[in-house]
């Protein structure tokens, strides 16, 4: 695992890779669609394909309701956590040369959990945008759970409740209480 990092650093030094503060004229003003920390940005990306710096916009993307939720590219969910009405997911996948996007998808239906609570099956969708690089990336993505809460309120005629959130293809579950 150390060789690719050192190789990337050496290659970057030899080719004169520039950081985000360089004067090479690169446009680093376009925001990312997910929250990414600067420490997660890969080192040694090929010249001309450097990744934009992390976005400072902390607004979470809204959960999307769709008839058949599926993910385009592989992603491993490391952890999920609910903070108020926001789901924060820490994910891992390969890449490093292009911007990746994440969506939280749901088919709009509730099932019953073993405890009798409502349960929603979610898909954390990942689009690598054709990134064939093989660096192992750790990212954080945030999603607004407002549409799920609104649907629950409409169906249960109540203001407060709880929903067990399960993720397709992962062992991760989390309870969302509102």
């Amino acid at each position: 695992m150390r060789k690719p990092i050192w190789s990337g650093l050496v290659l970057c030094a030899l080719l004169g890779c520039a950081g985000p503060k360089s004067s090479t004229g690169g446009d680093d003003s376009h925001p990312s669609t997910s929250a990414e920390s600067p420490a997660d940005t890969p080192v040694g990306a090929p010249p001309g394909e450097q990744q934009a710096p992390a976005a400072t916009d902390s607004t979470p993307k809204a959960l999307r309701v769709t008839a058949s939720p599926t993910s385009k590219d592989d992603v491993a969910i490391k952890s999920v956590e609910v903070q108020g009405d926001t789901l924060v997911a820490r994910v891992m996948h390969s890449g490093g040369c292009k911007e990746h996007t994440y969506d939280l998808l749901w088919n709009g239906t509730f099932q019953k959990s073993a405890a009798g609570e409502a349960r929603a099956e979610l898909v954390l969708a990942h689009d690598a945008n054709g990134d064939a690089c093989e660096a192992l990336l750790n990212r954080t993505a945030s999603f607004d759970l407002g549409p799920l809460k609104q649907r629950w309120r409409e169906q249960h005629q109540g203001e407060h409740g709880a929903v067990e959130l399960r993720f397709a293809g992962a062992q991760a579950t989390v309870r969302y209480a509102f």
Side-chain angles (χ1 to χ4, degrees):
M1 197 74 188
R2 288 181 183 253
K3 273 191 171 182
I5 292 171
W6 282 110
S7 298
L9 289 173
V10 170
L11 180 63
C12 187
L14 291 173
L15 295 176
C17 294
K21 301 277 185 201
S22 74
S23 59
T24 59
D27 179 20
D28 60 11
S29 63
H30 63 283
S32 170
T33 58
S34 64
E36 298 177 0
S37 68
D40 291 337
T41 303
V43 176
E49 292 185 31
Q50 293 174 348
Q51 190 166 5
T56 56
D57 182 15
S58 60
T59 305
K61 287 178 86 171
L63 167 106
R64 287 192 311 134
V65 179
T66 180
S68 55
T70 58
S71 183
K72 182 176 179 186
D73 296 306
D74 290 338
V75 63
I77 298 174
K78 293 173 61 176
S79 68
V80 288
E81 161 183 18
V82 174
Q83 299 173 355
D85 289 332
T86 302
L87 177 82
V88 178
R90 287 169 185 79
V91 300
M92 184 171 57
H93 53 77
S94 64
C97 296
K98 294 187 180 181
E99 184 176 341
H100 293 237
T101 58
Y102 312 94
D103 284 302
L104 189 61
L105 308 175
W106 176 48
N107 68 3
T109 63
F110 294 104
Q111 296 85 33
K112 287 281 185 189
S113 72
E117 285 187 331
R119 181 179 74 214
E121 300 284 336
L122 306 176
V123 173
L124 200 152
H126 168 231
D127 185 352
N129 292 306
D131 188 350
C133 290
E134 296 180 357
L136 189 56
L137 305 177
N138 291 293
R139 297 288 189 255
T140 300
S142 300
F143 303 98
D144 176 17
L145 296 171
L148 186 137
K149 178 167 61 172
Q150 184 62 34
R151 179 74 56 101
W152 187 94
R153 286 178 171 169
E154 290 168 0
Q155 290 183 6
H156 293 86
Q157 308 293 309
E159 193 63 26
H160 303 287
V163 178
E164 178 185 297
L165 306 178
R166 301 191 68 172
F167 297 86
Q171 297 293 325
T173 62
V174 66
R175 187 172 188 263
Y176 171 43
F178 48 89

